[in-house]
Amino acid sequence: MDVKIEPSWKEVLKTEFNKPYFQQIVLHLKTERSQGKTIYPPGSLLFNAFDKTPIRNVKVVILGQDPYHGPGQAHGLCFSVPEGVAPPPSLINIFKELHEDTGVPIPQSGNLTKWAEQGVFLLNASLTVRAAEPMSHAKIGWAEFTDTVIRKIAELKSHVVFLLWGKFAQEKRLLINESKHLILKAAHPSPLSAHSGFLGCKHFSKANTYLVSKGIDPVDWKI
């Protein structure tokens, strides 16, 4: 797999790409493809979050679990779908909370590229998934890679807002120095849990209040 990734990230992560675990990820993906299995997102979008948000621009991190596993949904940004694809249920709840919190109109499009281009790093803990099989690549090595990514952001940056939604994401707080970053935790936006603390969390306004207090431009959350 020829890793196409934005230069600043390539520099920060260059040692990871040569480690045995990463070579195993590459081999695993090649093997599954050779067996005719469909993997999402397409290879060209595997590192879309990195390409859209260079590390120097990162101001907010939103952490997802793994890519959408339906046709045409995943495009390398957690919770986001390409233009013309209906927003999935978790994203609908994200938009509901955004509207209630900030007054931003509920978007018609589920494409979050505009957020990514402003410094919202939309990272899935696993960067790939087999079609129709959620969490199918959770154990192939991606966690080691994306934990390193989170650790690097926490080490190299200051005053980043980490939005950790759900138990899985909240476990990553151990990788983050809370004395120089803001961690906001809430339930996952899935319909199964959104009413247990995600809806009403006001994370979007809280993130911007913190950024402004540190002299950092707030995020324009409008899509």
Side-chain angles (χ1 to χ4, degrees), residues 113-152:
T113 298
K114 189 178 172 204
W115 292 3
E117 290 172 345
Q118 292 183 75
V120 181
F121 188 52
L122 298 166
L123 179 68
N124 275 314
S126 295
L127 296 191
T128 58
V129 69
R130 275 197 305 274
E133 295 183 52
M135 302 300 292
S136 48
H137 287 172
K139 303 276 198 253
I140 70 170
W142 281 126
E144 185 168 349
F145 179 74
T146 54
D147 280 1
T148 299
V149 171
I150 295 166
R151 211 178 280 115
K152 291 284 189 187

Side-chain angles (χ1 to χ4, degrees), residues 90 93 165-167 186-199:
S90 291
N93 283 331
W165 298 335
K167 183 172 176 289
H188 194 276
S190 156
L192 298 174
S193 54
H195 290 279
S196 304
F198 177 76
L199 296 172

